[in-house]
Each structure stands twice: as C-alpha cells, then as structure tokens.
Amino acid sequence: MDRGAVSAPRTWSTRVATGGPARERLLELADYVDARSTAYCTRAAWLCAAAAHLPGEAVALTIGTADRSVAGLAALTRSRRRGVWHIELLGGPFNDYGQLHHDEDTGDALAAALVDWVEREHAAWSLDLAQLPGESPVVAGLLRRLGRVRLEPGAPIPQILGIGTDYVVSRNRRRKANNALNRIAADGRRAEQLAVREPAEVARWLPRVVDVRRRRDHACGRRSHLDDPAARGFYETNVSDLATAGALTLDLLLVDGEIAGYGMVVEEPGVHRVFDGRVADGLEHYRGAVVCDLAATARASADPGVTTFDWLRGRTDGKFGNHEVHRVHLLASSGAAVDRLDRWERSARDRLKAALPAGVLQRIAER
C-alpha cells in the first residue's frame, strides 16, 4: 500500500510506499536512482527485480520538498518473525554494495526520515544495513539518532587498480591458464573458450550455467542460492537485464562441449565487476575458473577505458589485486530483547549445522 505524505523532520516531507506500490515507485524513480548509483546492484533494475522476486515486503521511502519532489530514497525490505520486524536494504545479502540514494545535501535528512519511520511504525524492530560507504552522511545521521546501534566492518572487496597499466597480471597466473588448456589437450579432449554477450545467446546458455552452479554448490556440501525459486528468479532476471543493456559478458570454458567453468562480468564505465563464477563438479581439475578469470582480466586490461577490476566482496584464493575497498555494516534494534533473539537465532543455526555430519549436510543440499 501507499500511505502518501506524512510529516518528517524540518521542512522535508516523507512518502512511504510498500509492497507492489513500492516497486512501482522505484520504476518511477529509475532515472533518479541510476544517476546516483555507484554499482549495478544499486541501480533501479536490480532493486525492482529484488522487489519482484525476493521474500519480504518491499519499501520505498522518499523525502522531498515542494521544489524538489524527490531528494532522497531508502529502498528497503522488511519481514516479521516472532513479533519482530527485520528491516534491511532491498536485495539484502545479494548486494555487494549497499546504498541509500540521496542528493549531495540531503543525506542527513534521509537518515532522519528513516529513523522516524522505523521507530514510529514498528514496535519491535531490527535494522540491518550492510555494505554501506563509511563516509556516507546517512550513516553518520543514523549513528547520531539511533539509540542501540553499532557499526561493524563490512566484507572486504578485493580489486585491481590500474589494470593493464600500474598492474599487470603475472606470468605465473597466465601460465596456470595455459597449463589447464594443455592438460585438456593431453587428455585427448577438446577445449573451447567463448565470450558470450548477445542477450539471446546468454539466455541459451543460462540454464546450463545455473545447473553448473547448483551442482558445484551441492558438491561442496551446501545449499545453493539458486535452489530457491525466488532467488533463482532474481538471479535470472538480473542476468537478462544486464545482457539486454549490453553490460554483461559470460566467459565459458567448454570441454567436449560441456561447461567446465564459467565467469560473468558486469562492464560499467571504467570498471569491470565479477558477477558470478564456478567450476563444474567433476571437471574442476581443468581449472575453468582460472581460465575464465584470465580471459576477463585480459579483456579489462586491453580496454584503455577500464581502470579497475572489481572481484566484489569476500577474500578467496582465486581473487588477486593491489587494493581493497572496505565498507561498513550498520546494525540497530529497538531493545535488548530483540538483540538476544537475533543472537539466539544465529547460534541455533550454527549449532544445527555443526551437529550434522558432512554427509547429511550434502544430502540436504542436494534436495
């Protein structure tokens, strides 16, 4: 529902749309959002896909004045468990970059409106805003206004700055990719590398890519995000949207026509960002991830307009570079009881996982 205009601090007015109207509001504000977005996962298409597919109730909170109809936006989602409202950024754990969109001078006003809405509309609540820029005026405004609030380090984001100029991929990494291709040939098998960009071709390969990702996740003893129909719909919509916009390249290593590894890269002005990638279970010895990563970094290195290669959040052995981005995770709640409940839920999940044998975890993942 859309509750229309309600009062907000100072001269600002706040408008809150939830559910279906929230997605419509985001569509209306697509130009505003995209002009202020810092990465593909903060753009309007991504937020609308999250509102359409992911669980929880979408929320679009905007501030404005008579002469500036929109001066800030908080795109959120909320869900209720055990009597507590849980509020997070729209897109939640899928957002490698989090953002609250606002004009240069309106970050503090957006923070004030957000705190007012959270405290006025929810008796018991938990606020979880991940991967925000630490220097954001919205973050500063939230820290000043919220009583039970803490700031934690976000997951690091490894990057290559100056790819192709200040940073050149090492011979050792190039050798690993060549060795992988030589091993395929030595085994009497046929290797083929593809860089797929046409939307129709991306759509043709996508079901096979999804199958590779799910099988690999299961083989590692974990459920795959793409086992969930909602998460899979969100993923496939974003891949399709990015391909249609001409912003996505799908690198494939094929062995006798089968996918041995894949990587997806989103290409934005000045920066290429890794969207997804896996090796195929049973063919991991051909090092498909290394081959596809090298193809992606070589492409970025050869483009004089690209200055940064972004691996997105989380350190792994396969990610390399010369820089890390560090963002922040803001957590707040309405009271100690909510904090205790959140801790109990997390510990209960951890205890259950620790108590189950690895074989059981894998069977659960494969269901």
Side-chain angles (χ1 to χ4, degrees), residues 213-235:
R213 173 166 171 166
R214 292 181 64 211
R215 288 177 180 273
R216 182 58 181 172
D217 289 346
H218 297 167
C220 293
R222 60 176 181 260
R223 288 186 64 82
S224 174
H225 286 308
L226 303 188
D227 292 339
D228 175 37
R232 179 167 176 170
F234 176 63
Y235 175 89

Side-chain angles (χ1 to χ4, degrees), residues 114-126:
L114 178 54
V115 171
D116 178 66
W117 172 75
V118 168
E119 295 183 338
R120 177 168 41 83
E121 295 288 333
H122 311 86
W125 53 268
S126 173

Side-chain angles (χ1 to χ4, degrees), residues 9-129:
R10 300 178 184 172
T11 59
W12 302 98
S13 63
T14 304
R15 178 176 173 181
V16 179
T18 59
R23 183 169 180 268
E24 294 172 6
R25 183 72 169 143
L26 291 170
L27 286 169
E28 292 173 6
L29 298 175
D31 289 343
Y32 179 89
V33 170
D34 291 348
R36 290 156 182 80
S37 291
T38 55
Y40 68 85
C41 54
T42 63
R43 293 178 64 85
W46 178 276
L47 298 175
C48 288
H53 292 285
L54 297 181
E57 181 182 45
V59 177
L61 182 153
T62 54
I63 60 169
T65 62
D67 61 338
R68 242 193 296 183
S69 59
V70 178
L73 164 71
L76 308 165
T77 185
R78 66 178 181 177
S79 57
R80 197 174 188 185
R81 302 192 304 273
R82 297 184 177 86
V84 177
W85 285 102
H86 295 267
I87 303 163
E88 60 184 352
L89 295 175
L90 188 56
F94 297 99
N95 298 342
D96 291 276
Y97 289 87
Q99 185 174 352
L100 296 161
H101 302 75
H102 57 86
D103 296 346
E104 187 175 351
D105 61 339
T106 59
D108 189 66
L110 181 60
L114 178 54
V115 171
D116 178 66
W117 172 75
V118 168
E119 295 183 338
R120 177 168 41 83
E121 295 288 333
H122 311 86
W125 53 268
S126 173
L127 186 64
D128 185 337
L129 306 178

